[in-house]
Amino acid sequence: MTSIYRLCPACAQEVDLKALHCPHCACNTQADYWPAPTISALQKIRAALPAVLAVGVVTLQVGLALARNPLVQGLWRLATRHSPPQRPDRAMRPRERRGSHIHIRTQWSVEGPDGRLERGQKESVIESH
């Protein structure tokens, strides 16, 4: 007489069809699943490596395309400029000696004995040659 057995999903040993648990490893034999295979860290890295490299290549290509864009180059020049731009009319004209002007602005406020507040200002220009 032939007997029919079920293979244990965990240890692959023969188990009676009516048994709920494997007598060898105590695994549930009635479950319709196989245990998940164990994956090492190296296998995970190898599996993820093509995606990581693809993202890096795409990022590099986008960065290079942006760097070649004239608008981005102009903005980069503006952001890295250290000295203020010179006006062309002053750059072309020889520097001439001019007199200097000193502007003095004074402001005052006085409270009188009757509590009235008076304010004023005066502007003076001093020229030197």
Side-chain angles (χ1 to χ4, degrees):
M1 178 170 171
T2 58
S3 56
I4 300 174
Y5 292 98
R6 170 183 282 188
L7 293 178
C8 174
C11 65
Q13 295 290 325
E14 293 178 350
V15 180
D16 186 32
L17 283 175
K18 296 178 185 175
L20 292 175
H21 298 286
C22 173
H24 306 286
C25 68
C27 177
N28 184 359
T29 59
Q30 301 298 319
D32 291 335
Y33 66 89
W34 289 89
T38 56
I39 299 173
S40 69
L42 182 61
Q43 289 172 331
K44 290 178 183 178
I45 291 171
R46 283 184 182 161
L49 191 60
V52 170
L53 288 176
V55 168
V57 167
V58 169
T59 304
L60 183 63
Q61 287 177 344
V62 168
L64 289 174
L66 280 174
R68 291 184 187 122
N69 187 328
L71 178 63
V72 174
Q73 289 177 354
L75 290 173
W76 180 257
R77 278 190 218 106
L78 282 176
T80 57
R81 184 177 294 173
H82 297 293
S83 61
Q86 291 191 358
R87 293 186 356 204
D89 60 340
R90 286 194 178 191
M92 302 300 279
R93 206 169 42 179
R95 192 156 199 160
E96 56 193 50
R97 184 173 181 133
R98 293 182 235 152
S100 61
H101 296 75
I102 300 174
H103 292 273
I104 301 174
R105 178 180 293 160
T106 55
Q107 294 180 339
W108 52 270
S109 63
V110 176
E111 185 174 341
D114 57 350
R116 229 174 78 208
L117 184 65
E118 294 183 25
R119 295 183 182 171
Q121 73 177 18
K122 181 179 178 185
E123 188 169 330
S124 305
V125 176
I126 300 173
E127 293 185 22
S128 63
H129 297 280

